[in-house]
Amino acid sequence: MKTSQKTARRHAFKLMTAIAVSAFGIVAVNAAYAQSTSSSILGKSPTDASVTVHSDKGITRHGSPNSKGRYNLSALPPGTYEVSLERDGKTLATVGGIPLFAGRASQVDFTCENDQCTGVFNH
């Protein structure tokens, strides 16, 4: 094989390698800049109750706490929400004006003592 052919192949290999590395770099950078467009409301509540969220855009979601009293309502679009604690079809406590921003969760905790329930938005 002639020296000029070896040199041409070496340059072609280097060029292809550079193109592949560049393409991979672009994909990696785009993935790093991808952002979440939804959020969640999470918190604590009595285990025998359920939690409902209503958004200012008409979205409603329901959830129940786990055995440790933790709940997480995810995949919620940004907006302002009202969060209610419910048991047996009755609303026990409501916290309004909960802001949700893309990629950030908001926490609302509920407690009940002597059949009186309260909710707190934890920033």
Side-chain angles (χ1 to χ4, degrees), residues 16-76:
M16 294 302 286
T17 302
I19 291 170
V21 168
S22 296
F24 178 74
I26 289 170
V27 169
V29 167
N30 284 338
Y33 285 110
Q35 295 180 350
S36 174
T37 58
S38 65
S39 187
S40 60
I41 294 178
L42 51 86
K44 295 183 247 178
S45 75
T47 57
D48 61 345
S50 63
V51 178
T52 301
V53 297
H54 300 279
S55 80
D56 57 346
K57 295 177 174 85
I59 295 170
T60 300
R61 299 261 167 72
H62 304 280
S64 298
N66 63 20
S67 62
K68 295 180 181 180
R70 304 289 303 167
Y71 71 91
N72 186 353
L73 299 169
S74 59
L76 298 170

Side-chain angles (χ1 to χ4, degrees), residues 45-119:
S45 75
T47 57
D48 61 345
S50 63
V51 178
T52 301
V53 297
H54 300 279
S55 80
D56 57 346
K57 295 177 174 85
I59 295 170
T60 300
R61 299 261 167 72
H62 304 280
S64 298
N66 63 20
S67 62
K68 295 180 181 180
R70 304 289 303 167
Y71 71 91
N72 186 353
L73 299 169
S74 59
L76 298 170
T80 303
Y81 286 79
E82 179 179 274
V83 184
S84 299
L85 179 70
E86 301 166 346
R87 183 184 302 136
D88 299 326
K90 292 183 182 179
T91 300
L92 305 175
T94 300
V95 180
I98 307 302
L100 274 189
F101 301 99
R104 296 166 72 191
S106 289
Q107 183 172 339
V108 178
D109 293 329
F110 292 99
T111 57
C112 295
E113 265 186 52
N114 301 325
D115 293 326
Q116 296 296 314
C117 298
T118 58

